[in-house]
């Protein structure tokens, strides 16, 4: 109709344009009945967003330090959490051993204190269970029961996970069999390792395109506090333990901490996440800090570093991974050497990111509760993690590994000690880098130290066994690995 516009008079052309526009406007009402306008779709979505939020009802097992922190955080940030997730999150029941015991947190008006596990497990209105009661017996029944009742689970129980990880995976497979992703129940445990440090979430999501080659961490706050006191303040082991107990860092029975067993449980979980290796934690070499003395810190300072109790796991060759908990010599310029007091830290070495270090509070009411809350909010946002422990692998766990080693030898003064040490080391293929000896103040406490070149752990054990059979050796030889192979460059820089 407009194809001949250029040949028409200007006034006639304008008339035709107005006539066409009028026709289009007249037809406009019919659009509402023949299609869905964009504006209508937007109004609909806005209406849905403004709909009243649904309520996620939470049951907590454990009303102590961490349980109270969880209740406090959920109460203080309730409006923010509702805006973030689109759900109201309310604690409805808190299961404790003694309901008459005073609590150091305010119990919400919509929550009740109960003493029977079934009050939560058999309540169909409870959507999510948070387990912070500890232990590996009742807690296991609670967690498995909750999962089988279709309730999501959040826990801070490292001991339970370390002891029963494959079984937990089996329960998840059982309860989720045949369900759609939207219906599956989930198991979250960020608070189980290093309290407030988000290392679990990071290993689940931040290294999927990378390949981890080594992890080393200060993963027990009590022992790091004690070693800081021994290094910085010159305290003995007994003095450092007494201070840790007074400040609440050490339990009445500190064996799990000072023996390295708490760190081993955490390392076993980290090892599975990093390498997919499934091992019984009892086969992970575990040596605590009970044999450390002031002399060891004196020699560490002479070398230019300090001593930390570390959990270490690393790939030693294709298809083989090792892991151990032990005191380690650490250079002063190492990222882990300056992590003091009850602070935790984990360093992840990987091909793409090279080195990533996570530092923060590893225990306490709010650091641990904060990690539990992060899991609760992730579940409320439907942030799914189908494989909470990452895929497994065929890698093999091996106990032997190579390292530079520090040996401390307490001796009775005799001739030929240095010569005999050299002969034993030569017998087992151990090359000596250096020998350290402070002036002897008390003959009964005389000790010297040997630093080896890089050698296998099995060879060091053989050396120690032979030396302990010599007449001048006054007690068992103490040994520990040096964390970095380039420790000498750290000394000279």
């Amino acid at each position: 109709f407009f194809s001949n516009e250029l040949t028409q008079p200007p006034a006639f052309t304008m008339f035709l344009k107005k006539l066409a526009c009028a026709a289009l406007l007249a037809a406009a009402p019919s659009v509402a009945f023949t299609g869905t306008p964009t504006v209508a779709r937007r109004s609909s979505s806005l209406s849905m967003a403004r709909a009243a939020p649904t309520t996620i009802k939470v049951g907590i097992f454990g009303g102590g330090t961490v349980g109270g922190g969880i209740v406090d955080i959920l109460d203080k940030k309730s409006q923010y959490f509702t805006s973030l997730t689109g759900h109201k999150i309310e604690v409805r029941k808190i299961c404790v051993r003694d309901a008459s015991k005073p609590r150091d947190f305010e119990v919400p008006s919509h929550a009740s204190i109960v003493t029977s596990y079934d009050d939560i497990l058999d309540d169909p209105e409870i959507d999510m269970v948070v387990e912070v009661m500890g232990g590996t017996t009742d807690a296991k029944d609670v967690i498995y029961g909750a999962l089988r009742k279709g309730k999501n689970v959040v826990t801070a129980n490292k001991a339970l996970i370390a002891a029963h990880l494959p079984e937990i995976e089996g329960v998840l497979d059982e309860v989720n069999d045949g369900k759609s992703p939207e219906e599956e129940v989930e198991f979250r445990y960020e608070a189980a390792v290093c309290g407030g440090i988000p290392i679990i979430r990071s290993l689940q999501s931040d290294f999927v395109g990378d390949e981890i080659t080594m992890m080393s961490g200060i993963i027990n706050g009590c022992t790091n506090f004690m070693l800081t006191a021994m290094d910085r303040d010159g305290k003995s082991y007994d003095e450092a333990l007494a201070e840790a107990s007074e400040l609440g860092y050490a339990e009445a029975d500190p064996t799990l901490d000072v023996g390295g067993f708490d760190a081993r449980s955490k390392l076993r979980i980290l090892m599975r996440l990093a390498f997919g290796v499934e091992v019984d934690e009892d086969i992970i070499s575990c040596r605590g800090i009970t044999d450390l003395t002031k002399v060891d810190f004196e020699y560490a300072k002479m070398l230019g570093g300090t001593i930390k109790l570390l959990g270490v796991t690393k790939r030693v060759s294709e298809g083989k991974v090792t892991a151990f908990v032990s005191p380690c010599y650490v250079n002063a310029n190492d990222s882990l050497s300056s992590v003091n007091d009850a602070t935790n830290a984990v360093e992840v070495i990987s091909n793409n990111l090279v080195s990533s270090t996570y530092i923060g509070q590893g225990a306490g009411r709010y650091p641990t509760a904060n990690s539990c809350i992060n899991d609760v909010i992730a579940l409320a946002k439907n942030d799914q993690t189908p494989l909470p422990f990452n895929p497994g692998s065929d890698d093999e766990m091996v106990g032997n590994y190579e390292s530079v080693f520090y040996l401390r030898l307490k001796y009775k003064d005799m001739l030929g000690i240095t010569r005999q040490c050299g002969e034993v080391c030569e017998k087992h293929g151990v090359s000596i880098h250096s020998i350290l000896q402070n002036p002897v103040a008390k003959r009964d406490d005389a000790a010297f130290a040997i630093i080896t070149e890089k050698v296998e752990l099995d060879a060091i054990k053989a050396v120690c066994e032979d030396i302990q059979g010599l007449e001048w050796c006054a007690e068992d030889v103490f040994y520990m690995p040096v964390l970095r192979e380039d420790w000498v460059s750290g000394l000279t820089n």
Side-chain angles (χ1 to χ4, degrees), residues 136-365:
T136 59
T137 52
D138 286 6
K140 177 183 174 183
D141 294 337
V142 161
I143 288 175
Y144 290 10
L147 291 171
R148 288 182 171 127
K149 294 282 187 178
K151 305 178 192 299
N152 291 318
V153 169
V154 172
T155 181
N157 198 326
K158 61 181 172 293
L160 176 66
I161 298 171
H164 300 290
L165 193 155
E167 196 173 332
I168 295 170
E169 287 185 303
V171 173
L172 286 168
D173 289 341
E174 169 197 324
V175 299
N176 289 327
D177 184 36
K179 291 183 178 179
S180 66
E182 294 76 19
E183 297 173 319
E184 291 182 352
V185 294
E186 297 234 3
F187 179 81
R188 301 297 180 101
Y189 58 101
E190 183 63 70
V193 178
C194 296
I197 302 176
I199 185 63
I200 301 297
R201 184 73 56 85
S202 184
L203 291 173
Q204 288 171 335
S205 60
D206 297 338
F207 293 86
V208 292
D210 205 345
E211 185 174 350
I212 295 173
T213 57
M214 177 177 175
M215 279 200 303
S216 52
I218 298 168
I219 50 182
N220 180 271
C222 170
T223 51
N224 200 48
F225 177 87
M226 291 177 61
L227 295 182
T228 301
M230 293 175 72
D231 180 31
R232 183 183 61 198
D233 306 327
K235 294 186 176 182
S236 68
Y237 171 86
D238 290 336
E239 291 169 338
L241 177 58
E243 185 179 9
S245 299
E246 182 181 348
L247 294 175
Y249 293 125
E251 301 288 343
D253 179 2
T255 303
L256 289 178
D257 291 325
V258 299
F261 304 111
D262 173 80
R264 183 176 67 179
S265 293
K266 298 170 183 174
L267 181 64
R268 180 259 192 275
I269 298 170
L270 294 176
M271 185 179 180
R272 168 60 192 270
L273 287 165
F275 299 113
V277 177
E278 186 54 52
V279 298
D280 186 325
E281 67 173 306
D282 289 337
I283 72 169
I284 297 175
S285 174
C286 184
R287 301 174 64 244
I289 66 170
T290 53
D291 292 331
L292 282 168
T293 67
K294 285 185 177 182
V295 170
D296 297 313
F297 284 95
E298 291 172 3
Y299 286 136
K301 285 182 179 179
M302 287 178 63
L303 294 169
T306 187
I307 300 169
K308 296 292 185 183
L309 180 70
L310 300 180
V312 179
T313 181
K314 58 184 177 180
R315 186 174 300 285
V316 294
S317 62
E318 187 63 32
K320 295 185 184 297
V321 175
T322 193
F324 60 87
V325 173
S326 174
C328 296
Y329 170 78
V330 182
N331 282 331
N333 61 357
D334 194 288
S335 61
L336 296 178
S337 71
S338 58
V339 179
N340 292 321
D341 299 315
T343 305
N344 281 195
V346 178
E347 182 187 38
V348 182
I349 306 295
S350 62
N351 290 343
N352 296 343
L353 298 181
V354 185
S355 176
S356 307
T357 303
Y358 303 79
I359 301 176
Q361 295 302 304
R365 163 168 278 186

Side-chain angles (χ1 to χ4, degrees), residues 103-117:
R103 303 290 155 189
D104 61 354
F105 60 93
E106 185 175 347
V107 178
S109 59
H110 47 69
S112 59
I113 300 291
V114 300
T115 56
S116 171
Y117 299 156

